[in-house]
Amino acid sequence: MICLGIESTAHTIGIGILDNKKILSDQRSMYTTEKGGIIPSEAALHHKKVKKELLSKALEEAKLNVKDVDLISFSQGPGLSPSLLIGKEFAKYLALKYNKPLAGVNHLCGHLEEGKFFTKAKDPVFVFVSGANTQIIAHEGNKYRVFGEALSVGLGNALDKFGRGVGLGFPAGPKIEQLAKKGKYIEIPYVVKGMDVEFSGIVTHCINLYKKGVAVEDLCYSLQETGFAMLIEVTERALAHTGKNEALLIGGVAANQRFVEMLNTMCNDRGAKAYACPLKYSGDNGVQIAIAGIMQYKSGYNIFKTKQQIGNADINPNWRIDGVETPWIRK
Ligand code: AMP
Ligand code: MG
């Protein structure tokens, strides 16, 4: 089965074509800014501008025509509405024009299924750490459940916020990782509340220390050690609670080698296995939406088939991962 997946939840529009387990194409275009964060309406404008060309490139790479595709899937949420709308409209247009079924995919579900697709993890505790989202997730019963999460900002955004405060530019994560190698530990707050974590106070604390003259390298090191340790603690408890023996790191912050090392150490200590999604696929892309799309189609979940169903398909900007049914996972 060949699926064309369209991702457009935030800064990136991606089109991926997948033939069951084989990736036929992976085209992406990212909206970037010189300074400051993402402006939703401008990101959407970017996606609108490039979508047709991106589709042509994806089809060319796959050596296919839309007619050869069996299924169109799109990121239905969660995400920024203006960006989501562009992907949805494009997917609906293609489904109606070429008379193909349409799958509405939860973007987080795309990340989770993609993590399993690219690693040997079968039923892991997911450590999902991206810019906006930081959640510890595992499959229990008949759905993905959130065992702990960042209460205000995700860890990626927290690192970027710190970076802005000390003049590192965006994205700050990779720069913080490099600077941390030359730093030493200084004490900063460690905030775990039950199974949830809170980063914003820590970031403010670190920026204030910077203003008082504390070396940026020491702050980078301490921020990393503390932020990662908080998540590792919650992950370890999620492993103990669920009885699972695999942890899978996904999201942009998974690029951080120190984080991967800390997760490895914790997992080794308790006889569990640690995995990380390959760097290339840790960011938003169309392939992840195609992977989940095929699973959904085969199990009949959230598929729009008739012209009327496709016409009524809409975005779901606040769709949480625990609101997804997962009939493709049988235990
Ligand atoms: P995502 O939202 O999944 O695309 O991830 C983007 C986030 O990952 C940004 O906040 C980056 O600062 C962060 N990030 C990227 N590379 C690294 C790294 N090496 N260490 C820490 N954070 C990183
Ligand atoms: Mg994402």
Side-chain angles (χ1 to χ4, degrees), residues 9 107 111 128 130 283-284 288:
T9 48
H107 172 70
H111 275 295
F128 180 44
S130 68
D284 297 348
Q288 62 189 184

Side-chain angles (χ1 to χ4, degrees), residues 11 129-132 156-157 159-160 171-174 177 228 251-253 255-256 282-284:
H11 45 64
V129 191
S130 68
N157 282 0
L159 294 173
D160 294 334
E177 179 172 16
F228 296 161
V253 185
N256 191 295
S282 66
D284 297 348

Side-chain angles (χ1 to χ4, degrees), residues 13-16 25-29 54-55 57-59 61 285-286:
I13 177 160
I15 298 186
S25 64
D26 175 14
Q27 294 290 329
R28 315 175 194 188
S29 175
L54 210 61
L55 176 66
K57 281 189 191 163
L59 292 168
E61 191 186 354
N285 64 82

Side-chain angles (χ1 to χ4, degrees), residues 174-251:
K175 291 173 191 156
I176 292 171
E177 179 172 16
Q178 291 315 314
L179 288 167
K181 289 182 179 156
K182 289 174 253 156
K184 63 175 187 310
Y185 183 75
I186 50 163
E187 198 155 329
I188 57 171
Y190 180 99
V191 194
V192 177
K193 300 175 178 175
M195 288 291 278
D196 294 326
V197 292
E198 171 66 279
F199 295 117
S200 61
I202 302 177
V203 167
T204 310
H205 185 89
C206 286
I207 294 173
N208 286 339
L209 287 179
Y210 175 76
K211 287 180 185 156
K212 284 184 190 151
V214 175
V216 71
E217 292 86 355
D218 294 348
L219 291 168
C220 288
Y221 180 73
S222 308
L223 184 57
Q224 271 196 188
E225 294 301 298
T226 305
F228 296 161
M230 286 160 56
L231 289 172
I232 301 283
E233 179 194 329
V234 177
T235 305
E236 182 166 25
R237 275 193 275 142
L239 283 167
H241 175 82
T242 57
K244 297 191 194 296
N245 58 11
E246 302 167 315
L248 172 56
L249 190 53
I250 51 178

